[in-house]
Each structure stands twice: as C-alpha cells, then as structure tokens.
Amino acid sequence: MSVRTLNAVAPPLDFSFKNLATLTDSLEEEPRKGTKLKEGYTEIVTAVRYNNNSLSEISDLSPTMSALVFQPSAISWLDFSFNELVTLDKVILEFTNLTTLYLHGNHICNLAEIKKLSGLPHLRTLTLHGNPIENQEGYRHFVLSTLPTLKQLDFSSVTKQNQRDAESWKKLCSKKMKIGKKKKAE
C-alpha cells in the first residue's frame, strides 16, 4: 500500500452492538461512530466490526461487503467476536488480504473449523478464546500448526518456541494417527 493509499484508508466500518441477526441486516443500519456507507464514500475500508451481535453464520459476507464498500478485496481486519457462530463459512477465503480475524466469544466447538482458515495466506492475528474449542486438549498447538503464519493467537504473541512446539506436536499426532490406523486395519 502506498502512502497515498494509506491516507485514504477509512476508520473501521462499525456495526457492533446493533443486534444484527444476519450480515445483510447491516445494509439497513447506519454504522457507529459516523463512518459512512458506500455512496459518496471514497476512502478505502480495510476493517469491519460486527462484534457483539447475534450472528449465527456469515455466508452472506461477500455480497454484504460488496454492497457496503468500494473495495471489498482491501479488507484486512474483520471482527466477529461475541456472536453465535458455530461454524466458519468458506466465504471468508474470498478475503485474501485478511490479516486479522477476531472470533472470540462465539460457539465454535470443532477444531476442524480452523482448517478452513488455512487458505488465508496473510492471516497474522486470530482470536478464538471464549469458544468451546479452547478447552480441547492441544488446542493452541493445533491452531498454530494449522496456521503457521500466525504472529498472535488470542492476544498473545506467538514465539519461535511456540511454533517449534506446534510443529513437534503435529508430527507426534500424525504418527499416533498412522499407528491407530494400522491397528484398526489389523
């Protein structure tokens, strides 16, 4: 991003605390803190907040962002914290410039949902604490081994030692799975 582009970056488009049930509901709402919608808005929106609503799915993310902002591809930060998400829709992969994703305080309970995020090459910051998956054994190792580009997980920095531990954990789990499959085959 050039200096000229940085000067045109808008403040976050904030739809937090709006009691939204779907993302398309935000098309009928004014964002908080005076940010403007697409019409007459020339600044590039790179961050969107949908925290503290009642969202149970995000499958309408792409058409909603296309209706709200000029360059949906420029979005690098999404906040879906404190909603009712159980699964992650693959639509999130359309936002290839995403660097920060807040998902804490939802209802995600299956670690397999995290694998869906591996298609986000620039993802550096992820929050998942406050979801049931946080209580699963190996949670942090699984997330870090699945998303090795992360620099922050749950507002904690990811150290090189964390990365090495996650990689070792992944290798150990892979060996255990292969042994388990051989035993079942016998």
Side-chain angles (χ1 to χ4, degrees), residues 34-87:
T35 52
K36 300 175 186 174
L37 296 175
K38 192 173 183 177
E39 189 176 318
Y41 196 45
T42 59
E43 295 174 298
I44 297 170
V45 173
T46 61
V48 185
R49 294 180 180 150
Y50 279 105
N51 57 297
N52 294 280
N53 281 294
S54 300
L55 302 172
S56 59
E57 53 95 22
I58 58 170
S59 61
D60 50 350
L61 180 61
S62 190
T64 302
M65 290 300 100
S66 293
L68 289 174
V69 300
F70 282 116
Q71 285 185 301
S73 63
I75 294 173
S76 62
W77 186 72
L78 287 170
D79 184 351
F80 291 113
S81 60
F82 300 107
N83 276 285
E84 298 171 11
L85 299 175
V86 175
T87 60

Side-chain angles (χ1 to χ4, degrees), residues 107-173:
H107 304 290
I108 302 166
C109 56
N110 189 341
L111 284 171
E113 293 300 314
I114 305 314
K115 289 180 181 179
K116 295 176 183 176
L117 301 177
S118 63
L120 294 170
H122 304 289
L123 189 62
R124 300 295 181 265
T125 302
L126 176 65
T127 62
L128 292 164
H129 61 280
N131 283 283
I133 58 170
E134 177 184 41
N135 300 319
Q136 292 185 25
E137 187 175 340
Y139 154 75
R140 187 170 175 86
H141 291 314
F142 178 85
V143 174
L144 293 178
S145 66
T146 303
L147 305 170
T149 60
L150 287 182
K151 300 297 179 198
Q152 277 200 328
L153 175 61
D154 296 334
F155 297 117
S156 293
S157 294
V158 175
T159 65
K160 289 181 181 182
Q161 185 61 49
N162 294 148
Q163 292 168 331
R164 286 190 297 268
D165 291 347
E167 192 56 38
S168 296
W169 179 87
K170 184 178 181 178
K171 288 175 184 175
L172 180 64
C173 287

Side-chain angles (χ1 to χ4, degrees), residues 1-2 6 9 14 21 27 29 37 48 52-53 56 59 63 85 90 95 99 118 172:
M1 218 182 262
S2 69
L6 284 174
V9 171
D14 190 353
L27 299 175
E29 293 281 339
L37 296 175
V48 185
N52 294 280
N53 281 294
S56 59
S59 61
L85 299 175
K90 289 189 177 189
F95 296 85
T99 60
S118 63
L172 180 64

